[in-house]
Amino acid sequence: MKKNEIAAYIDQTLLAPTATEEELASFVTKAKDFGFASVCINPVYIKKAKELLAGSTTKVCTVIDFPLGAGGLEAKQTQADIAIDDGADELDFVISLGLVKAHKWTELKAELAFIAKSVKEAAMFRETPGTVLTKLILETCCLTDEEIVESCKCAKEAGFDFVKTSTGFYSTKPNGATVHAVELMRKTVGPDMGVKASGGIHNYEEALAMINAGASRIGASAGIEIVSQAE
């Protein structure tokens, strides 16, 4: 795979809580030069990233209810509304893990459907209307295969655009993407929904393995290293 081809898969990621505005600016400028699919950043820096990426094909992605997913529906919606108003193009929501572990699939699907609908409405009515992609972070490292499958089904039926493996912040190690989880997610959601492999992807070989397993996006802080190792 050529450098520009793999760059188009990557959500170049900077989610360190210690990241400064100066570090963010340097990070986003480099991401723009490499032509990544998006920069995945903390919500506080959405406006700055949007400004720096003006005229670029690289989108602004941010995280919602991150990293625990335990803030509740109202918190998720409020954070999403603010992020959309600030100019975010893509929102990566952390799933409500308590509902997953309790196997409350009907309640989970209802929550996700409400979120998906709210995002679409908010995107239509902001100052610059447009589509905002929704991704659901499953935190696959702490789920059984059955829980991964059911969570993917809920996300698909609710109208989410992507399912995503991991935050990379969970205490269980390893806490990132695996080929097995990506294959299972792709098999469950079918060929048309997005699958994002994220967490623990450090080099070109690992990224390519995830793509071959069915990933349509790669979340990584090592995007520049991954691209530099491509053809």
Side-chain angles (χ1 to χ4, degrees):
M1 189 175 287
K2 295 179 180 178
K3 294 181 185 294
N4 65 318
E5 292 173 330
I6 193 139
Y9 276 90
I10 295 173
D11 290 348
Q12 175 73 332
T13 302
L14 179 62
L15 294 172
T18 56
T20 65
E21 185 171 335
E22 290 74 18
E23 290 169 338
L24 180 281
S26 175
F27 168 86
V28 171
T29 300
K30 289 178 182 176
K32 180 179 179 180
D33 292 340
F34 274 80
F36 293 121
S38 82
V39 290
C40 187
I41 57 172
N42 286 313
V44 68
Y45 293 131
I46 293 171
K47 288 183 178 179
K48 183 65 175 178
K50 194 73 174 180
E51 174 188 325
L52 291 168
L53 289 170
S56 168
T57 59
T58 301
K59 305 298 185 183
V60 176
C61 173
T62 196
V63 287
I64 305 295
D65 204 9
F66 189 88
L68 300 179
L73 179 56
E74 186 176 350
K76 283 178 164 69
Q77 183 185 7
T78 300
Q79 289 180 35
D81 286 345
I82 295 169
I84 292 168
D85 285 344
D86 285 350
D89 302 298
E90 305 183 0
L91 305 179
D92 290 14
F93 290 82
V94 183
I95 200 168
S96 296
L97 281 166
L99 295 180
V100 176
K101 299 308 288 186
H103 294 184
K104 292 185 176 181
W105 307 122
T106 300
E107 188 174 342
L108 176 63
K109 185 166 69 173
E111 177 177 289
L112 296 178
F114 179 85
I115 290 169
K117 183 174 183 290
S118 296
V119 168
K120 286 178 173 60
E121 290 176 349
M124 288 288 291
F125 291 104
R126 68 179 174 184
E127 185 175 343
T128 306
T131 300
V132 174
L133 292 182
T134 50
K135 309 191 197 98
L136 184 66
I137 307 173
L138 305 186
E139 206 69 280
T140 53
C141 66
C142 67
L143 305 184
T144 64
D145 282 4
E146 177 192 359
E147 290 164 347
I148 292 171
V149 167
E150 292 301 322
S151 297
C152 286
K153 288 179 179 178
C154 288
K156 184 175 182 179
E157 292 171 13
F160 266 66
D161 299 301
F162 277 76
V163 284
K164 174 180 171 181
T165 58
S166 320
T167 65
F169 280 68
Y170 201 72
S171 57
T172 299
K173 301 288 185 180
N175 61 7
T178 65
V179 166
H180 171 72
V182 172
E183 289 177 337
L184 186 59
M185 292 160 71
R186 174 54 69 200
K187 180 180 178 181
T188 303
V189 302
D192 298 325
M193 188 175 180
V195 174
K196 179 175 173 178
S198 183
I201 302 170
H202 303 111
N203 57 51
Y204 174 76
E205 289 75 17
E206 291 171 350
L208 191 60
M210 297 299 169
I211 292 169
N212 289 336
S216 46
R217 285 285 185 92
I218 300 295
S221 58
I224 292 174
E225 291 84 350
I226 291 169
V227 171
S228 69
Q229 293 164 9
E231 296 176 9

